[in-house]
Amino acid sequence: NAGVTQTPKFQVLKTGQSMTLQCAQDMNHNSMYWYRQDPGMGLRLIYYSASEGTTDKGEVPNGYNVSRLNKREFSLRLESAAPSQTSVYFCASSEGTGKIFGPGTRLTVL
Amino acid sequence: AQSVTQLGSHVSVSEGALVLLRCNYSSSVPPYLFWYVQYPNQGLQLLLKYTSAATLVKGINGFEAEFKKSETSFHLTKPSAHMSDAAEYFCAVSEGGATNKLIFGTGTLLAVQP
């Protein structure tokens, strides 16, 4: 039982490049989430998926897209990376209250 | 709209001293409240949660928090700090339901001095 896994752990991009952050959970949770963490700002919700086949915007969705590929996997895509997207990205899943977080992806956009 | 305010971005205590991390919330419905801990270069780990049962909630590692509706507060305490408690602590609020979106505070970095 690995919980929530994220790949990659680290990534450096140039402005304008695209990439996809992968997230998978093995707890059979219905809900999955993507957050970004920036110094002094806590965690802010980017997108979430309440169940397989549905996705909704969070607080800061601009510049991102998501795909709920199946119940296990929820990916986050940056189509054209910008320096403002330099951050640590966390995926989480939940069934009911409380969330289980992944270890994070540290992304730098130059 | 929901929000969370954590008073004090940095708190320093001596080993063995009381830990008190403050959290005030705003919610238009009865809230669910959470405390998470983040150790350096790691993800967030749930410490404890309030879901409208007992107002005094006990969590892992000796931490507890008390829900006070009149003060809209959910402060985190531990009677005696240990060096291993040094981490960043986040308070969060949720309306629950199908979406169960969490709104986080900006975090409090706890330092424990020997």
Side-chain angles (χ1 to χ4, degrees), chain B residues 18-113:
Chain B
L18 171 71
V19 175
L20 171 61
L21 304 182
R22 299 179 187 273
C23 172
N24 288 87
Y25 70 91
S26 172
S27 178
S28 58
V29 299
Y32 297 110
L33 294 159
F34 306 82
W35 276 99
Y36 283 86
V37 60
Q38 185 180 32
Y39 298 101
N41 299 313
Q42 294 189 27
L44 278 74
Q45 181 182 1
L46 181 65
L47 269 180
L48 50 82
K49 62 182 179 183
Y50 167 76
T51 56
S52 76
T55 56
L56 182 62
V57 181
K58 294 187 184 300
I60 61 172
N61 301 340
F63 283 94
E64 62 182 37
E66 187 172 8
F67 171 70
K68 291 187 177 180
K69 185 178 178 181
S70 61
E71 299 178 8
T72 61
S73 69
F74 191 58
H75 302 331
L76 182 71
T77 60
K78 182 173 180 178
S80 177
H82 192 272
M83 296 296 288
S84 61
D85 295 327
E88 190 157 23
Y89 292 80
F90 293 92
C91 183
V93 63
S94 168
E95 292 182 356
T99 61
N100 196 24
K101 291 185 290 182
L102 275 178
I103 304 299
F104 283 89
T106 52
T108 297
L109 188 62
L110 175 66
V112 182
Q113 308 299 330

Side-chain angles (χ1 to χ4, degrees), chain A residues 26-105:
Chain A
D26 60 2
M27 298 169 285
N28 204 37
H29 287 169
N30 278 312
S31 301
M32 298 185 73
Y33 310 80
W34 277 105
Y35 289 87
R36 60 177 287 173
Q37 183 179 28
D38 302 291
M41 303 193 74
L43 280 80
R44 292 179 292 169
L45 182 64
I46 305 172
Y47 270 94
Y48 65 98
S49 170
S51 61
E52 185 180 353
T54 68
T55 62
D56 284 288
K57 295 178 180 179
E59 302 170 71
V60 289
N62 291 345
Y64 305 95
N65 285 301
V66 290
S67 295
R68 183 73 182 268
L69 305 170
N70 46 56
K71 194 170 186 178
R72 289 187 66 247
E73 297 171 290
F74 188 39
S75 62
L76 178 72
R77 183 160 177 84
L78 287 69
E79 290 291 352
S80 178
S84 61
Q85 294 177 305
T86 293
S87 187
V88 182
Y89 291 85
F90 288 100
C91 178
S93 73
S94 73
E95 193 70 45
T97 57
K99 289 181 175 50
I100 306 297
F101 283 82
T105 294

